[in-house]
Structures are given as C-alpha cells and as structure tokens.
Amino acid sequence: KNEVEQSPQNLTAQEGEFITINCSYSVGISALHWLQQHPGGGIVSLFMLSSGKKKHGRLIATINIQEKHSSLHITASHPRDSAVYICAAFPYPIQGAQKLVFGQGTRLTINP
Amino acid sequence: EPEVTQTPSHQVTQMGQEVILRCVPISNHLYFYWYRQILGQKVEFLVSFYNNEISEKSEIFDDQFSVERPDGSNFTLKIRSTKLEDSAMYFCASSAPGTSGRDEQFFGPGTRLTVL
C-alpha cells in the first residue's frame, strides 16, 4: 500500500486551463514537498509546506495536515508546464536527516 | 545559485562490476541523501547521512551498497557488485539544518546507471 497517493496519474489539458493535482497520505507527516521532474529526469523542488498555502508565480500549493491532503494548482497553464509533478512527504518521527516518501507522480501535458 | 552536482550523468557497467556515483552537495548543507528511481516507478529512499555516519537506510540499501564522505565536499554511493536490477536513476540530495529535522531538500540532476 502506497503511503503517498497522487491523482490523477495522467492529466492532459489545453493551454490556459486551471490545473489541480492532488496528494493524499496515510501516515502522519510533518511537511510535504512538491517537486517537478522534467523529461531529462532532473528533480526540482517547487514548494515545501507544513500548513496553509504557498504561492510562487502561477503555482499554488495548499496543505491540510489534519485531513492528510495537499493540492498543487497551476493557473493559466502553459506547454512549458508539461512535466511530472511529484509530492513527497516527511513522515514522523522527525529526525535529523529526514527521508522523503514519494508519491508515484502525475504526468501533466499541456497542449498549445 | 548553489546547486547539487552529480557525476557521471550516465554510467554503463557490466553486471558484477563495482560502480561509484559521485555527488557534491551544497557547501553549507549537513544532511545528505541518496534516492533511486527505477524507470517508470516512483522515487525511493536509499540512505541518509549526517555527521559522517548513516542516519537511516532502507531495506534496499543492503551490504552491496555503501556511502562515504571522503573529503569536505564529495558524497559517494558505491555499489560493490552491480546487478541488473540496480539499473535506475540515482539522485543525490542535501539539506541544511534548520530548527526542525525537516528541511527543504535540494536534488542533483541524477546519474543514470545502466547494468548490462
């Protein structure tokens, strides 16, 4: 059983659409990363959050720790947003070198 | 902007050979990690490292694997005798110490290991 689940697994949309990717987790966590993985394979951190909402440009991430759910939104989507988006959680207990537990990723394709 | 670097970007090896994957974490970071991603699968934790010792390792990280910080800048992952199933993308990550144990992790570009 996956501790971190994402939906949908694949998402295709038209340029300009509002995008939502969901992440739910079954274990207690202290915080959560949203990551972006491009076709070449490299991983870039978009957000790390433990409560509320964070915004960076057209990207917005929200989290509700009690409900064990987080969402990543993209406003005014663009073909360059096409990538795999991954949520990764910091499970309890908190310790110095805190491993991440990853979701399976959501493959987003934005068509022009 | 500081970044995590990894070398080589692609390593091809024969089954049974030893490989060393190299990482240079961000210079003021103190926590170091290796993750791997088998093609088409999710990223998995291998090992974390702090203060010159392993903090935690997964069940994947068996006796064939070892990590080392041989000097002040490099962080290496060694696989002693590679198997076909070790073929994967290996990511190094590092984080700085904060007020809690959960600090943003910064990832390297990955090393694609192909075992023939």
Side-chain angles (χ1 to χ4, degrees):
Chain A
K1 183 184 184 302
N2 288 330
E3 294 173 307
V4 179
E5 294 271 3
Q6 290 183 235
S7 63
Q9 290 191 32
N10 293 284
L11 179 56
T12 300
Q14 291 299 120
E15 183 174 355
E17 286 188 42
F18 181 82
I19 303 298
T20 296
I21 299 170
N22 295 300
C23 176
S24 60
Y25 43 91
S26 58
V27 296
I29 72 167
S30 60
L32 185 141
H33 257 290
W34 278 101
L35 307 160
Q36 183 188 54
Q37 186 172 33
H38 277 282
I43 294 174
V44 174
S45 174
L46 299 173
F47 297 102
M48 196 189 83
L49 64 167
S50 58
S51 65
K53 180 164 85 171
K54 284 191 175 180
K55 185 174 189 294
H56 184 224
R58 294 181 294 105
L59 301 178
I60 303 165
T62 63
I63 190 169
N64 185 318
I65 288 279
Q66 288 74 26
E67 292 189 5
K68 298 186 176 179
H69 184 267
S70 177
S71 294
L72 176 70
H73 306 285
I74 305 175
T75 62
S77 59
H78 191 276
R80 65 175 174 266
D81 298 325
S82 297
V84 175
Y85 292 84
I86 303 171
C87 71
F90 289 100
Y92 281 116
I94 296 171
Q95 58 185 39
Q98 186 70 60
K99 73 178 184 187
L100 285 167
V101 177
F102 289 75
Q104 76 273 34
T106 294
R107 183 173 301 277
L108 174 65
T109 303
I110 304 296
N111 293 319
Chain B
E1 188 173 323
E3 58 182 17
V4 177
T5 59
Q6 290 184 242
T7 54
S9 57
H10 191 188
Q11 172 97 45
V12 181
T13 190
Q14 295 291 326
M15 191 169 56
Q17 295 296 303
E18 174 184 286
V19 295
I20 297 176
L21 310 183
R22 291 183 167 81
C23 169
V24 179
I26 294 172
S27 62
N28 66 334
H29 286 186
L30 297 180
Y31 301 108
F32 313 112
Y33 310 84
W34 284 102
Y35 297 92
R36 81 171 186 189
Q37 185 179 33
I38 295 171
L39 187 65
Q41 298 186 21
K42 64 179 180 178
V43 179
E44 302 172 287
F45 168 75
L46 289 178
V47 65
S48 58
F49 191 87
Y50 169 67
N51 202 25
N52 279 320
E53 60 183 26
I54 290 174
S55 295
E56 187 178 357
K57 59 184 180 180
S58 71
E59 56 191 32
I60 302 167
F61 194 89
D62 61 22
D63 291 344
Q64 294 299 314
F65 291 87
S66 62
V67 288
E68 194 177 35
R69 188 155 162 80
D71 53 42
S73 59
N74 289 284
F75 179 51
T76 61
L77 174 69
K78 183 195 290 188
I79 309 175
R80 266 181 266 282
S81 177
T82 50
K83 302 190 274 282
L84 294 176
E85 54 264 38
D86 294 328
S87 295
M89 181 78 99
Y90 288 80
F91 293 101
C92 172
S94 68
S95 64
T99 54
S100 71
R102 42 160 184 85
D103 300 288
E104 184 175 8
Q105 293 185 17
F106 294 84
F107 288 80
T111 292
R112 184 169 300 283
L113 176 65
T114 302
V115 182
L116 302 177

PDB file of all heavy atoms in Angstrom, chain A residues 48-69:
ATOM      1  N   MET A  48       7.987  23.592  -0.267  1.00  0.00           N
ATOM      2  CA  MET A  48       7.906  22.747   0.908  1.00  0.00           C
ATOM      3  C   MET A  48       6.951  23.439   1.855  1.00  0.00           C
ATOM      4  O   MET A  48       7.098  24.646   2.106  1.00  0.00           O
ATOM      5  CB  MET A  48       9.249  22.543   1.581  1.00  0.00           C
ATOM      6  CG  MET A  48       9.237  21.393   2.554  1.00  0.00           C
ATOM      7  SD  MET A  48      10.720  21.295   3.544  1.00  0.00           S
ATOM      8  CE  MET A  48      10.327  22.462   4.828  1.00  0.00           C
ATOM      9  N   LEU A  49       5.932  22.725   2.330  1.00  0.00           N
ATOM     10  CA  LEU A  49       4.964  23.373   3.207  1.00  0.00           C
ATOM     11  C   LEU A  49       4.461  22.419   4.274  1.00  0.00           C
ATOM     12  O   LEU A  49       4.441  21.205   4.075  1.00  0.00           O
ATOM     13  CB  LEU A  49       3.800  23.983   2.417  1.00  0.00           C
ATOM     14  CG  LEU A  49       2.834  23.126   1.620  1.00  0.00           C
ATOM     15  CD1 LEU A  49       1.620  23.958   1.204  1.00  0.00           C
ATOM     16  CD2 LEU A  49       3.456  22.516   0.399  1.00  0.00           C
ATOM     17  N   SER A  50       4.104  22.999   5.402  1.00  0.00           N
ATOM     18  CA  SER A  50       3.593  22.223   6.519  1.00  0.00           C
ATOM     19  C   SER A  50       2.204  22.684   6.942  1.00  0.00           C
ATOM     20  O   SER A  50       1.548  21.995   7.725  1.00  0.00           O
ATOM     21  CB  SER A  50       4.543  22.298   7.709  1.00  0.00           C
ATOM     22  OG  SER A  50       4.732  23.647   8.089  1.00  0.00           O
ATOM     23  N   SER A  51       1.763  23.819   6.435  1.00  0.00           N
ATOM     24  CA  SER A  51       0.410  24.296   6.746  1.00  0.00           C
ATOM     25  C   SER A  51       0.025  25.363   5.735  1.00  0.00           C
ATOM     26  O   SER A  51       0.896  25.996   5.119  1.00  0.00           O
ATOM     27  CB  SER A  51       0.342  24.868   8.159  1.00  0.00           C
ATOM     28  OG  SER A  51       1.142  26.022   8.256  1.00  0.00           O
ATOM     29  N   GLY A  52      -1.276  25.550   5.571  1.00  0.00           N
ATOM     30  CA  GLY A  52      -1.777  26.664   4.792  1.00  0.00           C
ATOM     31  C   GLY A  52      -1.480  26.585   3.304  1.00  0.00           C
ATOM     32  O   GLY A  52      -1.706  25.569   2.664  1.00  0.00           O
ATOM     33  N   LYS A  53      -1.002  27.678   2.779  1.00  0.00           N
ATOM     34  CA  LYS A  53      -0.871  27.847   1.346  1.00  0.00           C
ATOM     35  C   LYS A  53       0.430  28.567   1.026  1.00  0.00           C
ATOM     36  O   LYS A  53       0.873  29.425   1.791  1.00  0.00           O
ATOM     37  CB  LYS A  53      -2.070  28.676   0.854  1.00  0.00           C
ATOM     38  CG  LYS A  53      -2.102  28.946  -0.617  1.00  0.00           C
ATOM     39  CD  LYS A  53      -3.482  29.414  -1.072  1.00  0.00           C
ATOM     40  CE  LYS A  53      -3.707  30.877  -0.903  1.00  0.00           C
ATOM     41  NZ  LYS A  53      -4.985  31.305  -1.555  1.00  0.00           N
ATOM     42  N   LYS A  54       1.037  28.216  -0.119  1.00  0.00           N
ATOM     43  CA  LYS A  54       2.192  28.953  -0.631  1.00  0.00           C
ATOM     44  C   LYS A  54       1.959  29.216  -2.102  1.00  0.00           C
ATOM     45  O   LYS A  54       1.362  28.403  -2.811  1.00  0.00           O
ATOM     46  CB  LYS A  54       3.489  28.169  -0.437  1.00  0.00           C
ATOM     47  CG  LYS A  54       4.008  28.177   0.994  1.00  0.00           C
ATOM     48  CD  LYS A  54       5.413  27.621   1.074  1.00  0.00           C
ATOM     49  CE  LYS A  54       5.947  27.747   2.487  1.00  0.00           C
ATOM     50  NZ  LYS A  54       7.320  27.208   2.600  1.00  0.00           N
ATOM     51  N   LYS A  55       2.464  30.360  -2.564  1.00  0.00           N
ATOM     52  CA  LYS A  55       2.273  30.761  -3.961  1.00  0.00           C
ATOM     53  C   LYS A  55       3.611  31.175  -4.534  1.00  0.00           C
ATOM     54  O   LYS A  55       4.399  31.872  -3.874  1.00  0.00           O
ATOM     55  CB  LYS A  55       1.272  31.919  -4.041  1.00  0.00           C
ATOM     56  CG  LYS A  55       0.883  32.349  -5.444  1.00  0.00           C
ATOM     57  CD  LYS A  55      -0.221  33.403  -5.366  1.00  0.00           C
ATOM     58  CE  LYS A  55      -0.803  33.720  -6.739  1.00  0.00           C
ATOM     59  NZ  LYS A  55       0.138  34.366  -7.645  1.00  0.00           N
ATOM     60  N   HIS A  56       3.874  30.717  -5.754  1.00  0.00           N
ATOM     61  CA  HIS A  56       5.073  31.144  -6.457  1.00  0.00           C
ATOM     62  C   HIS A  56       4.732  31.277  -7.916  1.00  0.00           C
ATOM     63  O   HIS A  56       4.559  30.286  -8.628  1.00  0.00           O
ATOM     64  CB  HIS A  56       6.213  30.129  -6.241  1.00  0.00           C
ATOM     65  CG  HIS A  56       7.511  30.559  -6.853  1.00  0.00           C
ATOM     66  ND1 HIS A  56       8.317  29.719  -7.567  1.00  0.00           N
ATOM     67  CD2 HIS A  56       8.127  31.762  -6.855  1.00  0.00           C
ATOM     68  CE1 HIS A  56       9.377  30.395  -7.988  1.00  0.00           C
ATOM     69  NE2 HIS A  56       9.281  31.626  -7.559  1.00  0.00           N
ATOM     70  N   GLY A  57       4.597  32.531  -8.361  1.00  0.00           N
ATOM     71  CA  GLY A  57       4.205  32.754  -9.747  1.00  0.00           C
ATOM     72  C   GLY A  57       2.815  32.193 -10.004  1.00  0.00           C
ATOM     73  O   GLY A  57       1.852  32.511  -9.300  1.00  0.00           O
ATOM     74  N   ARG A  58       2.717  31.297 -10.992  1.00  0.00           N
ATOM     75  CA  ARG A  58       1.422  30.700 -11.336  1.00  0.00           C
ATOM     76  C   ARG A  58       1.128  29.418 -10.544  1.00  0.00           C
ATOM     77  O   ARG A  58       0.106  28.767 -10.775  1.00  0.00           O
ATOM     78  CB  ARG A  58       1.407  30.400 -12.834  1.00  0.00           C
ATOM     79  CG  ARG A  58       1.456  31.656 -13.713  1.00  0.00           C
ATOM     80  CD  ARG A  58       1.412  31.308 -15.201  1.00  0.00           C
ATOM     81  NE  ARG A  58       2.607  30.592 -15.619  1.00  0.00           N
ATOM     82  CZ  ARG A  58       2.655  29.292 -15.878  1.00  0.00           C
ATOM     83  NH1 ARG A  58       1.563  28.545 -15.795  1.00  0.00           N
ATOM     84  NH2 ARG A  58       3.782  28.730 -16.265  1.00  0.00           N
ATOM     85  N   LEU A  59       2.023  29.049  -9.663  1.00  0.00           N
ATOM     86  CA  LEU A  59       1.863  27.822  -8.884  1.00  0.00           C
ATOM     87  C   LEU A  59       1.377  28.154  -7.474  1.00  0.00           C
ATOM     88  O   LEU A  59       1.873  29.093  -6.847  1.00  0.00           O
ATOM     89  CB  LEU A  59       3.200  27.073  -8.786  1.00  0.00           C
ATOM     90  CG  LEU A  59       3.857  26.647 -10.088  1.00  0.00           C
ATOM     91  CD1 LEU A  59       5.193  25.971  -9.797  1.00  0.00           C
ATOM     92  CD2 LEU A  59       2.963  25.709 -10.857  1.00  0.00           C
ATOM     93  N   ILE A  60       0.414  27.354  -7.030  1.00  0.00           N
ATOM     94  CA  ILE A  60      -0.110  27.499  -5.669  1.00  0.00           C
ATOM     95  C   ILE A  60      -0.173  26.108  -5.057  1.00  0.00           C
ATOM     96  O   ILE A  60      -0.656  25.166  -5.687  1.00  0.00           O
ATOM     97  CB  ILE A  60      -1.535  28.095  -5.669  1.00  0.00           C
ATOM     98  CG1 ILE A  60      -1.564  29.441  -6.397  1.00  0.00           C
ATOM     99  CG2 ILE A  60      -2.057  28.255  -4.241  1.00  0.00           C
ATOM    100  CD1 ILE A  60      -2.958  29.909  -6.751  1.00  0.00           C
ATOM    101  N   ALA A  61       0.332  25.977  -3.833  1.00  0.00           N
ATOM    102  CA  ALA A  61       0.241  24.701  -3.120  1.00  0.00           C
ATOM    103  C   ALA A  61      -0.485  24.919  -1.809  1.00  0.00           C
ATOM    104  O   ALA A  61      -0.270  25.929  -1.129  1.00  0.00           O
ATOM    105  CB  ALA A  61       1.630  24.127  -2.866  1.00  0.00           C
ATOM    106  N   THR A  62      -1.366  23.995  -1.482  1.00  0.00           N
ATOM    107  CA  THR A  62      -2.091  24.049  -0.220  1.00  0.00           C
ATOM    108  C   THR A  62      -1.931  22.716   0.491  1.00  0.00           C
ATOM    109  O   THR A  62      -1.690  21.678  -0.131  1.00  0.00           O
ATOM    110  CB  THR A  62      -3.595  24.311  -0.446  1.00  0.00           C
ATOM    111  OG1 THR A  62      -4.147  23.214  -1.181  1.00  0.00           O
ATOM    112  CG2 THR A  62      -3.818  25.598  -1.232  1.00  0.00           C
ATOM    113  N   ILE A  63      -2.063  22.764   1.800  1.00  0.00           N
ATOM    114  CA  ILE A  63      -1.985  21.536   2.576  1.00  0.00           C
ATOM    115  C   ILE A  63      -2.904  21.625   3.784  1.00  0.00           C
ATOM    116  O   ILE A  63      -3.049  22.700   4.386  1.00  0.00           O
ATOM    117  CB  ILE A  63      -0.537  21.212   3.010  1.00  0.00           C
ATOM    118  CG1 ILE A  63      -0.437  19.804   3.610  1.00  0.00           C
ATOM    119  CG2 ILE A  63      -0.019  22.257   3.993  1.00  0.00           C
ATOM    120  CD1 ILE A  63       0.989  19.323   3.807  1.00  0.00           C
ATOM    121  N   ASN A  64      -3.542  20.491   4.101  1.00  0.00           N
ATOM    122  CA  ASN A  64      -4.302  20.360   5.335  1.00  0.00           C
ATOM    123  C   ASN A  64      -3.756  19.126   6.035  1.00  0.00           C
ATOM    124  O   ASN A  64      -4.071  17.995   5.666  1.00  0.00           O
ATOM    125  CB  ASN A  64      -5.787  20.212   5.036  1.00  0.00           C
ATOM    126  CG  ASN A  64      -6.626  20.202   6.311  1.00  0.00           C
ATOM    127  OD1 ASN A  64      -6.261  19.566   7.307  1.00  0.00           O
ATOM    128  ND2 ASN A  64      -7.739  20.899   6.285  1.00  0.00           N
ATOM    129  N   ILE A  65      -2.886  19.372   7.005  1.00  0.00           N
ATOM    130  CA  ILE A  65      -2.176  18.269   7.669  1.00  0.00           C
ATOM    131  C   ILE A  65      -3.178  17.313   8.335  1.00  0.00           C
ATOM    132  O   ILE A  65      -3.018  16.094   8.261  1.00  0.00           O
ATOM    133  CB  ILE A  65      -1.172  18.801   8.703  1.00  0.00           C
ATOM    134  CG1 ILE A  65       0.032  19.437   8.009  1.00  0.00           C
ATOM    135  CG2 ILE A  65      -0.730  17.702   9.660  1.00  0.00           C
ATOM    136  CD1 ILE A  65       1.082  18.466   7.523  1.00  0.00           C
ATOM    137  N   GLN A  66      -4.223  17.869   8.978  1.00  0.00           N
ATOM    138  CA  GLN A  66      -5.180  17.028   9.696  1.00  0.00           C
ATOM    139  C   GLN A  66      -5.957  16.135   8.738  1.00  0.00           C
ATOM    140  O   GLN A  66      -6.226  14.979   9.032  1.00  0.00           O
ATOM    141  CB  GLN A  66      -6.148  17.879  10.518  1.00  0.00           C
ATOM    142  CG  GLN A  66      -5.536  18.525  11.756  1.00  0.00           C
ATOM    143  CD  GLN A  66      -4.637  19.693  11.427  1.00  0.00           C
ATOM    144  OE1 GLN A  66      -4.812  20.338  10.392  1.00  0.00           O
ATOM    145  NE2 GLN A  66      -3.676  19.963  12.285  1.00  0.00           N
ATOM    146  N   GLU A  67      -6.334  16.684   7.577  1.00  0.00           N
ATOM    147  CA  GLU A  67      -7.085  15.892   6.608  1.00  0.00           C
ATOM    148  C   GLU A  67      -6.178  15.050   5.728  1.00  0.00           C
ATOM    149  O   GLU A  67      -6.652  14.318   4.867  1.00  0.00           O
ATOM    150  CB  GLU A  67      -7.958  16.816   5.751  1.00  0.00           C
ATOM    151  CG  GLU A  67      -9.082  17.469   6.531  1.00  0.00           C
ATOM    152  CD  GLU A  67     -10.062  18.206   5.632  1.00  0.00           C
ATOM    153  OE1 GLU A  67      -9.925  18.128   4.392  1.00  0.00           O
ATOM    154  OE2 GLU A  67     -10.955  18.864   6.189  1.00  0.00           O
ATOM    155  N   LYS A  68      -4.867  15.198   5.896  1.00  0.00           N
ATOM    156  CA  LYS A  68      -3.876  14.405   5.156  1.00  0.00           C
ATOM    157  C   LYS A  68      -4.037  14.592   3.656  1.00  0.00           C
ATOM    158  O   LYS A  68      -4.095  13.623   2.883  1.00  0.00           O
ATOM    159  CB  LYS A  68      -3.963  12.924   5.554  1.00  0.00           C
ATOM    160  CG  LYS A  68      -3.646  12.697   7.033  1.00  0.00           C
ATOM    161  CD  LYS A  68      -3.585  11.231   7.392  1.00  0.00           C
ATOM    162  CE  LYS A  68      -3.156  11.083   8.854  1.00  0.00           C
ATOM    163  NZ  LYS A  68      -3.107   9.685   9.276  1.00  0.00           N
ATOM    164  N   HIS A  69      -4.067  15.843   3.247  1.00  0.00           N
ATOM    165  CA  HIS A  69      -4.296  16.142   1.834  1.00  0.00           C
ATOM    166  C   HIS A  69      -3.567  17.420   1.440  1.00  0.00           C
ATOM    167  O   HIS A  69      -3.504  18.390   2.215  1.00  0.00           O
ATOM    168  CB  HIS A  69      -5.791  16.311   1.584  1.00  0.00           C
ATOM    169  CG  HIS A  69      -6.121  16.535   0.144  1.00  0.00           C
ATOM    170  ND1 HIS A  69      -6.250  17.790  -0.407  1.00  0.00           N
ATOM    171  CD2 HIS A  69      -6.323  15.653  -0.869  1.00  0.00           C
ATOM    172  CE1 HIS A  69      -6.520  17.671  -1.692  1.00  0.00           C
ATOM    173  NE2 HIS A  69      -6.576  16.390  -1.993  1.00  0.00           N
TER     174      HIS A  69
END
